[in-house]
Each structure stands twice: as structure tokens, then as C-alpha cells.
Amino acid sequence: MVLSPRLRLHVGASKVHRWLALLIGAQAIVWFTSGLIMSLLPIDTVHGDHRIDRNVEPALVASQDFAPVPALLASAGAPVRQLQHRMLLGRPIVEAQLDNGKVRLLDARTAKPLPAVDRAAGALIARQAYRGDPGSAPVVERIERPSTEYRGALPAWWASFPDADGTRIYVAAETGRLTSVRTGTWRLYDFFWGLHIMDWTEHERFNTPWLNAFAAGGLVFAVAGAILLFMRWPRRRRRKAQGVR
């Protein structure tokens, strides 16, 4: 039996549409489910704003007697790209961004170099910012490599607090800055984000081969469905029947 071109197009589009429905449909359910769950989670809670005060340090006072800029530049010991005055653990400091990409902390009053933030200082910074029980003693560890949970400045200290959210606060060892806070809500969001973008290991790459392949398959699925819809539209059959009469 020789099929007409129109019938071959109809059969071909039907087969493509049916098989892609099985493949794309399962992932579409994952996309819709993960998107719905992420949209239902309050973004402030995902960011951990209910567990951390990011502005816990007092503001600088203009009347403070700061060291002159030439003294700060000389104390940095390397070409400086930027100087920034701020507070750290209640004292004024200067964060010197060196030309080689490193950071050096200086005393804002004396211009003397300050040591990098150690474990005790990292724990104190995290405890000051923590909004939970002030008496909670966090478990503090030093990290040298990025992970799925943290890709901020390294090395860093993470302080894990024993609360219901599993709060973990990250502090950069070079600067003493609060770089990230992670909670159970963030981890739930990140899990579904990884499913949504089909990056099951890094949870970061949104242009993975899997995502590209399924996106292309979804486009073919839609085109095949449009062809079937056009060929099966009832009005065409009614017009043809009216023409025969």
C-alpha cells in the first residue's frame, strides 16, 4: 500500500509525538513540580535572612582618627587596587585589595597588618550575626575547596549551629566577611533547582547536554503536536464534507 505524502507526514508526526511524550513528559513533570516547589518557598527564607543579621557590625564614625592613606599603602606591602574602611569585631579596619588578587587586613588607626581570621574569630563573627539562641556553641571547621553548598571566597570557616534549620554560616578567612548562610530550606531549594536545570552534581550549570537535549526534544514534540493539530482540525473535515454535497 502506497501512502500519500500527507498520510506519511501524519503517521510520522504521530509516532514522533507519541515517543517524545514518554521521554519529555516525565521530565516535564519534574520541571513543573520543581518549579512549583521553588516558587512556594519564600526567597528570604531561602537566603537565610531569618537566621542571620548581615548588618550586625556598627557603622564607622567620622570622628575616628584613621591612619593616613600613604601609611596604609606602605603597610600593605604590595601594590593596592582598593582600600575599604569597615568594622570587624567592633574595631575599625581597612580591607586592602591587592593587585595580585589577595586581601590584607590593616588596623585603620595604626595601619599595622592584622592576622588572618582564625577559628576563634570566625566562630565569634558567626555567633554575633546568628539570630538564634545566643548561647548556641557552633561546630567550626575550615574549608579549602568549593562544594555544592558553598562556592564563595576560600579559604573560609563554616560555623554549624544546632537548630532545627541546620544553619551553617560561612566566614571568609582572609576578610572576615559573612559570605553565605545555608539552612534546610536552602538545601531543599537547591535540590529541586538541580533537578530543574538537570545538573544533578554541581546544581549550577544550566546549559548541560541533558538540558539542551530535552529542550530540543520538547521543541520537536511541540512541532509534531502542532502538525497533528493542524491535520486533525475538525473544521477542515466539515468544509470537505460540505464541498461533496
Side-chain angles (χ1 to χ4, degrees):
M1 180 179 178
V2 179
L3 300 179
S4 65
R6 179 184 177 84
L7 186 56
R8 285 200 300 268
L9 178 61
H10 186 280
V11 173
S14 180
K15 289 182 178 180
V16 170
H17 194 263
R18 181 172 62 252
W19 285 108
L20 284 179
L22 297 176
L23 296 175
I24 304 299
Q27 181 58 35
I29 294 175
V30 175
W31 281 332
F32 295 144
T33 303
S34 59
L36 174 62
I37 292 176
M38 288 189 295
S39 66
L40 292 176
L41 295 175
I43 194 63
D44 291 341
T45 305
V46 173
H47 290 164
D49 294 341
H50 64 301
R51 287 296 184 184
I52 187 174
D53 182 1
R54 303 179 190 275
N55 299 312
V56 65
E57 291 287 357
L60 287 170
V61 179
S63 61
Q64 290 176 326
D65 186 18
F66 295 138
V69 172
L72 294 171
L73 295 176
S75 183
V80 176
R81 183 173 298 273
Q82 180 180 345
L83 293 174
Q84 182 178 6
H85 287 72
R86 63 185 181 90
M87 300 292 288
L88 179 64
L89 294 177
R91 66 186 293 185
I93 67 163
V94 173
E95 182 179 310
Q97 300 283 345
L98 304 184
D99 195 49
N100 58 12
K102 295 184 179 180
V103 178
R104 186 158 297 168
L105 300 183
L106 308 173
D107 189 297
R109 297 191 182 96
T110 65
K112 293 182 178 179
L114 299 175
V117 176
D118 59 13
R119 182 189 298 269
L124 183 56
I125 293 170
R127 289 180 65 179
Q128 285 183 343
Y130 182 56
R131 290 183 183 271
D133 182 3
S136 297
V139 176
V140 181
E141 295 290 342
R142 182 182 175 91
I143 57 173
E144 303 281 349
R145 297 179 180 179
S147 63
T148 303
E149 182 170 288
Y150 179 76
R151 296 185 182 88
L154 293 171
W157 300 100
W158 62 253
S160 181
F161 290 86
D163 56 29
D165 281 336
T167 303
R168 185 174 290 178
I169 299 175
Y170 289 84
V171 179
E174 281 190 337
T175 64
R177 290 184 178 273
L178 296 169
T179 52
S180 295
V181 57
R182 301 293 184 243
T183 63
T185 304
W186 182 92
R187 297 180 186 99
L188 179 65
Y189 184 98
D190 185 62
F191 171 75
F192 283 103
W193 170 250
L195 294 180
H196 197 74
I197 64 174
M198 301 184 74
D199 182 9
W200 305 290
T201 56
E202 300 296 328
H203 298 185
E204 185 177 39
R205 300 166 297 173
F206 58 88
N207 58 348
T208 60
W210 283 107
L211 183 60
N212 293 336
F214 271 78
L219 178 60
V220 175
F221 175 77
V223 171
I227 293 173
L228 292 176
L229 179 64
F230 176 78
M231 301 185 72
R232 297 175 180 177
W233 194 253
R235 293 181 180 177
R236 294 180 59 86
R237 289 200 297 269
R238 286 200 298 268
R239 289 175 182 174
K240 184 176 179 180
Q242 292 172 359
V244 173
R245 293 178 183 177

Short mmCIF file of all heavy atoms in Angstrom, two decimals, residues 116-145:
data_model
loop_
_atom_site.label_atom_id
_atom_site.label_comp_id
_atom_site.label_asym_id
_atom_site.label_seq_id
_atom_site.Cartn_x
_atom_site.Cartn_y
_atom_site.Cartn_z
N ALA A 116 45.22 37.00 59.63
CA ALA A 116 44.01 36.46 59.01
C ALA A 116 43.05 35.98 60.09
O ALA A 116 43.45 35.71 61.23
CB ALA A 116 44.36 35.33 58.05
N VAL A 117 41.80 35.88 59.73
CA VAL A 117 40.78 35.46 60.68
C VAL A 117 40.98 33.99 61.03
O VAL A 117 40.94 33.11 60.16
CB VAL A 117 39.37 35.69 60.09
CG1 VAL A 117 38.29 35.16 61.02
CG2 VAL A 117 39.16 37.16 59.79
N ASP A 118 41.21 33.70 62.32
CA ASP A 118 41.42 32.33 62.75
C ASP A 118 40.11 31.67 63.15
O ASP A 118 39.03 32.27 63.02
CB ASP A 118 42.44 32.26 63.88
CG ASP A 118 42.03 33.07 65.11
OD1 ASP A 118 40.84 33.49 65.18
OD2 ASP A 118 42.87 33.29 65.99
N ARG A 119 40.19 30.45 63.67
CA ARG A 119 39.00 29.70 64.03
C ARG A 119 38.15 30.42 65.08
O ARG A 119 36.93 30.53 64.96
CB ARG A 119 39.38 28.31 64.54
CG ARG A 119 38.18 27.42 64.90
CD ARG A 119 38.67 26.15 65.60
NE ARG A 119 39.51 25.39 64.71
CZ ARG A 119 39.06 24.43 63.88
NH1 ARG A 119 37.76 24.15 63.86
NH2 ARG A 119 39.90 23.77 63.12
N ALA A 120 38.81 30.93 66.12
CA ALA A 120 38.08 31.59 67.19
C ALA A 120 37.39 32.86 66.69
O ALA A 120 36.22 33.12 67.03
CB ALA A 120 39.04 31.93 68.34
N ALA A 121 38.09 33.63 65.86
CA ALA A 121 37.48 34.85 65.32
C ALA A 121 36.34 34.51 64.37
O ALA A 121 35.30 35.18 64.38
CB ALA A 121 38.54 35.69 64.62
N GLY A 122 36.53 33.48 63.56
CA GLY A 122 35.47 33.07 62.65
C GLY A 122 34.21 32.65 63.40
O GLY A 122 33.09 32.98 63.01
N ALA A 123 34.41 31.89 64.50
CA ALA A 123 33.27 31.48 65.31
C ALA A 123 32.57 32.68 65.95
O ALA A 123 31.34 32.74 66.02
CB ALA A 123 33.73 30.50 66.39
N LEU A 124 33.36 33.65 66.42
CA LEU A 124 32.78 34.84 67.06
C LEU A 124 31.99 35.68 66.05
O LEU A 124 30.90 36.17 66.36
CB LEU A 124 33.90 35.67 67.68
CG LEU A 124 33.46 36.91 68.47
CD1 LEU A 124 32.46 36.55 69.56
CD2 LEU A 124 34.68 37.62 69.05
N ILE A 125 32.52 35.82 64.85
CA ILE A 125 31.81 36.58 63.81
C ILE A 125 30.47 35.92 63.49
O ILE A 125 29.44 36.58 63.37
CB ILE A 125 32.68 36.68 62.54
CG1 ILE A 125 33.91 37.55 62.82
CG2 ILE A 125 31.87 37.25 61.38
CD1 ILE A 125 34.94 37.51 61.71
N ALA A 126 30.49 34.59 63.37
CA ALA A 126 29.26 33.87 63.06
C ALA A 126 28.25 33.97 64.21
O ALA A 126 27.05 34.15 63.99
CB ALA A 126 29.58 32.41 62.76
N ARG A 127 28.74 33.87 65.45
CA ARG A 127 27.83 33.93 66.60
C ARG A 127 27.21 35.31 66.75
O ARG A 127 26.05 35.44 67.16
CB ARG A 127 28.59 33.54 67.86
CG ARG A 127 28.96 32.06 67.93
CD ARG A 127 29.70 31.71 69.20
NE ARG A 127 28.86 31.89 70.37
CZ ARG A 127 29.26 31.62 71.62
NH1 ARG A 127 30.50 31.19 71.83
NH2 ARG A 127 28.44 31.80 72.63
N GLN A 128 27.97 36.35 66.44
CA GLN A 128 27.42 37.70 66.53
C GLN A 128 26.29 37.90 65.53
O GLN A 128 25.32 38.61 65.81
CB GLN A 128 28.52 38.73 66.29
CG GLN A 128 29.47 38.90 67.45
CD GLN A 128 30.50 39.99 67.18
OE1 GLN A 128 30.71 40.41 66.04
NE2 GLN A 128 31.16 40.45 68.23
N ALA A 129 26.43 37.31 64.35
CA ALA A 129 25.42 37.50 63.30
C ALA A 129 24.24 36.56 63.45
O ALA A 129 23.17 36.83 62.88
CB ALA A 129 26.06 37.31 61.93
N TYR A 130 24.39 35.49 64.20
CA TYR A 130 23.36 34.46 64.31
C TYR A 130 22.14 35.00 65.05
O TYR A 130 22.25 35.61 66.12
CB TYR A 130 23.94 33.25 65.04
CG TYR A 130 23.02 32.09 65.20
CD1 TYR A 130 22.40 31.49 64.11
CD2 TYR A 130 22.76 31.56 66.47
CE1 TYR A 130 21.56 30.41 64.27
CE2 TYR A 130 21.93 30.46 66.64
CZ TYR A 130 21.33 29.89 65.53
OH TYR A 130 20.50 28.81 65.69
N ARG A 131 20.94 34.78 64.49
CA ARG A 131 19.70 35.26 65.08
C ARG A 131 19.07 34.25 66.05
O ARG A 131 18.05 34.56 66.67
CB ARG A 131 18.68 35.59 63.99
CG ARG A 131 19.02 36.82 63.14
CD ARG A 131 17.90 37.09 62.16
NE ARG A 131 18.18 38.20 61.27
CZ ARG A 131 17.87 39.47 61.53
NH1 ARG A 131 17.28 39.77 62.67
NH2 ARG A 131 18.16 40.43 60.66
N GLY A 132 19.62 33.08 66.16
CA GLY A 132 19.04 32.06 67.02
C GLY A 132 19.49 32.22 68.47
O GLY A 132 19.80 33.33 68.93
N ASP A 133 19.52 31.12 69.19
CA ASP A 133 19.91 31.12 70.59
C ASP A 133 21.33 31.66 70.74
O ASP A 133 22.28 31.07 70.22
CB ASP A 133 19.82 29.70 71.14
CG ASP A 133 20.16 29.63 72.63
OD1 ASP A 133 20.39 30.69 73.24
OD2 ASP A 133 20.21 28.50 73.16
N PRO A 134 21.52 32.79 71.43
CA PRO A 134 22.87 33.35 71.57
C PRO A 134 23.83 32.45 72.34
O PRO A 134 25.04 32.63 72.26
CB PRO A 134 22.63 34.68 72.30
CG PRO A 134 21.33 34.50 73.01
CD PRO A 134 20.51 33.61 72.13
N GLY A 135 23.28 31.51 73.08
CA GLY A 135 24.13 30.60 73.83
C GLY A 135 24.57 29.37 73.05
O GLY A 135 25.31 28.53 73.58
N SER A 136 24.11 29.25 71.80
CA SER A 136 24.47 28.09 70.99
C SER A 136 25.95 28.10 70.65
O SER A 136 26.50 29.13 70.26
CB SER A 136 23.65 28.07 69.69
OG SER A 136 22.28 27.95 69.97
N ALA A 137 26.59 26.97 70.83
CA ALA A 137 28.01 26.83 70.51
C ALA A 137 28.14 26.10 69.17
O ALA A 137 27.84 24.91 69.08
CB ALA A 137 28.74 26.07 71.60
N PRO A 138 28.56 26.79 68.12
CA PRO A 138 28.63 26.14 66.81
C PRO A 138 29.84 25.24 66.68
O PRO A 138 30.86 25.41 67.36
CB PRO A 138 28.74 27.34 65.85
CG PRO A 138 29.46 28.38 66.65
CD PRO A 138 28.97 28.21 68.07
N VAL A 139 29.73 24.28 65.80
CA VAL A 139 30.87 23.47 65.38
C VAL A 139 31.54 24.20 64.23
O VAL A 139 30.88 24.54 63.24
CB VAL A 139 30.43 22.06 64.94
CG1 VAL A 139 31.62 21.27 64.42
CG2 VAL A 139 29.75 21.34 66.10
N VAL A 140 32.83 24.50 64.36
CA VAL A 140 33.53 25.33 63.38
C VAL A 140 34.59 24.49 62.67
O VAL A 140 35.37 23.78 63.30
CB VAL A 140 34.19 26.55 64.05
CG1 VAL A 140 34.90 27.42 63.01
CG2 VAL A 140 33.15 27.35 64.81
N GLU A 141 34.57 24.57 61.34
CA GLU A 141 35.56 23.85 60.52
C GLU A 141 36.08 24.78 59.43
O GLU A 141 35.40 25.69 58.98
CB GLU A 141 34.93 22.60 59.88
CG GLU A 141 34.48 21.54 60.87
CD GLU A 141 35.64 20.84 61.56
OE1 GLU A 141 36.77 20.93 61.03
OE2 GLU A 141 35.41 20.21 62.60
N ARG A 142 37.31 24.52 59.02
CA ARG A 142 37.93 25.28 57.94
C ARG A 142 37.77 24.52 56.63
O ARG A 142 37.94 23.29 56.59
CB ARG A 142 39.42 25.50 58.22
CG ARG A 142 40.17 26.33 57.17
CD ARG A 142 41.63 26.43 57.55
NE ARG A 142 42.43 27.10 56.53
CZ ARG A 142 42.68 28.40 56.49
NH1 ARG A 142 42.19 29.18 57.45
NH2 ARG A 142 43.43 28.92 55.54
N ILE A 143 37.41 25.22 55.56
CA ILE A 143 37.27 24.58 54.26
C ILE A 143 38.20 25.27 53.27
O ILE A 143 38.43 26.48 53.32
CB ILE A 143 35.81 24.63 53.74
CG1 ILE A 143 35.31 26.07 53.66
CG2 ILE A 143 34.90 23.80 54.62
CD1 ILE A 143 33.95 26.19 53.00
N GLU A 144 38.76 24.46 52.39
CA GLU A 144 39.72 24.95 51.40
C GLU A 144 39.20 24.79 49.97
O GLU A 144 39.76 25.40 49.05
CB GLU A 144 41.05 24.19 51.52
CG GLU A 144 41.69 24.26 52.90
CD GLU A 144 42.41 25.56 53.14
OE1 GLU A 144 42.59 26.32 52.15
OE2 GLU A 144 42.81 25.83 54.29
N ARG A 145 38.17 23.98 49.79
CA ARG A 145 37.68 23.69 48.44
C ARG A 145 36.19 23.99 48.34
O ARG A 145 35.46 23.87 49.32
CB ARG A 145 37.91 22.20 48.10
CG ARG A 145 39.38 21.80 48.06
CD ARG A 145 39.51 20.32 47.74
NE ARG A 145 40.91 19.89 47.70
CZ ARG A 145 41.30 18.65 47.47
NH1 ARG A 145 40.37 17.71 47.26
NH2 ARG A 145 42.58 18.36 47.44
#
